[in-house]
Amino acid sequence: MHLFYTPAIEPSCQQYFLTEEESKHCARVLRLEKGAKLQLIDGRGGLYTASILDPHPKRTLLQIISVTHNFNKRNHYLHIAIAPTKNIERIEWFLEKATEIGIDEISFILCKRSERKEVKTERLNKVVTSAVKQSLKAYHPLLNEPINLNKLLTQPFEGQKFIAHCEKTGKTSIDAELKTGGRYLILIGPEGDFTTDEIDEALQYGFKAITLGESRLRTETAALEACFEVNFLNRKG
Amino acid sequence: MHLFYTPAIEPSCQQYFLTEEESKHCARVLRLEKGAKLQLIDGRGGLYTASILDPHPKRTLLQIISVTHNFNKRNHYLHIAIAPTKNIERIEWFLEKATEIGIDEISFILCKRSERKEVKTERLNKVVTSAVKQSLKAYHPLLNEPINLNKLLTQPFEGQKFIAHCEKTGKTSIDAELKTGGRYLILIGPEGDFTTDEIDEALQYGFKAITLGESRLRTETAALEACFEVNFLNRKG
């Protein structure tokens, strides 16, 4: 069954018009006809089944058959704040993989040693949306605009806060600290790592320093490792 | 310090000639001069420190200063057998990431539903080598030529054997089965998953069916998830 991402739909909807772009894709590209069944996700946990009432190429009308709320809702909330890499493709595949595995929110932090200061979140959001559809996620991860690290540090966050840095000392493993079923914010530094000042400031704001193992990991690999660990520990917990 | 991958070097070497390609890179590209220090890895656990005696553009001569054996040797052995994906780039990044995180051997299995039957292992081996250098691994993962699944199943393997498939029933989680410090062979199927016959045959040959969580993962993501889990569990164990 073909899947559409329709953030505008509401659980109360009996019928729903696809957007012009979606209608074109549905009626012209996929050539779906009246009566064909579709799946819709709203990005907020809603998974809908619908059938086509009118396969109009600009305003396809759907009849909503059923809706499942909180589809595959996870038992935790993961927010990863990562310094964008020089090669943006590395961030793109992190977003794809993290979406497949399970993530709720991503922020791009600008650090002292960041090699990249600009991020086209609109384009990256398309990568996330396509991963959401490919892996049948009813929840669409939230992508935030780039923010300076020191500003992010001062923002309130209800949950456990971690910083993964490459300095040798003063770190614990995440599984020793993580409380399952919780909310987590994890900071991943740039290619050149966080500066000592940045780490100290994060610790002052209640972030706990964690290690992601002995291997020397690229920025995007470290972020994915953190994503894997949080989901794995919550699966077991 | 610049790092070179020199599989031909032996721990007994006092001096060593870089290959013509390495010499060119060392003397012409990096413009390293006499006395400059280098790191060498042999891919078998040896990490060497050397200094340049003669920065010859075709046969650079090095003086070996010290050698560390079994550098960052892991406590386990991981062999992942994966069905190559239609888009080979997905295999390339799996190889890069798995090398960073920790893997010892990769096989490409040809299954009933494999979308790709051919793999250029020579090219893929270059991807692995570059990840080995980037993440400072003294061990170079072994890349095997493609092999039919049923042939791989019959090959002897000393250790735990797992098959990760997408069918709903009869699966256990890897952390319930995995004995830390062991040897593991994990099968990852093609985009269309293993057939029921392939799964049954694997079970007959002593493979245990495992789940990698509830998420619908792409082939390369599933393989990386398995790689993460095995390394994570062995770090904790």
Side-chain angles (χ1 to χ4, degrees), chain B residues 1-16 18 36-51 62-71 136-139:
Chain B
M1 204 163 12
H2 291 286
L3 180 74
F4 288 76
Y5 171 54
T6 54
I9 196 169
E10 294 293 337
S12 58
C13 294
Q14 300 297 314
Q15 300 188 343
Y16 181 76
L18 292 178
K37 295 253 190 329
L38 301 177
Q39 277 185 313
L40 313 175
I41 46 175
D42 61 13
R44 302 178 303 279
L47 174 66
Y48 301 71
T49 308
S51 70
L62 306 178
Q63 175 71 47
I64 306 304
I65 298 169
S66 67
V67 54
T68 307
H69 300 286
N70 307 318
F71 178 73
L136 188 54
K137 293 276 191 286
Y139 292 89

Side-chain angles (χ1 to χ4, degrees), chain B residues 116-131:
Chain B
R116 167 184 290 271
K117 304 284 183 187
E118 291 185 351
V119 176
K120 295 196 173 65
T121 47
E122 189 181 342
R123 170 187 162 77
L124 294 177
N125 206 44
K126 289 198 173 90
V127 174
V128 172
T129 300
S130 117

Side-chain angles (χ1 to χ4, degrees), chain A residues 128-146:
Chain A
V128 172
T129 300
S130 112
V132 160
K133 290 162 72 174
Q134 197 278 334
S135 60
L136 188 54
K137 294 273 191 284
Y139 292 90
H140 193 294
L142 174 64
L143 221 58
N144 299 320
E145 291 298 323

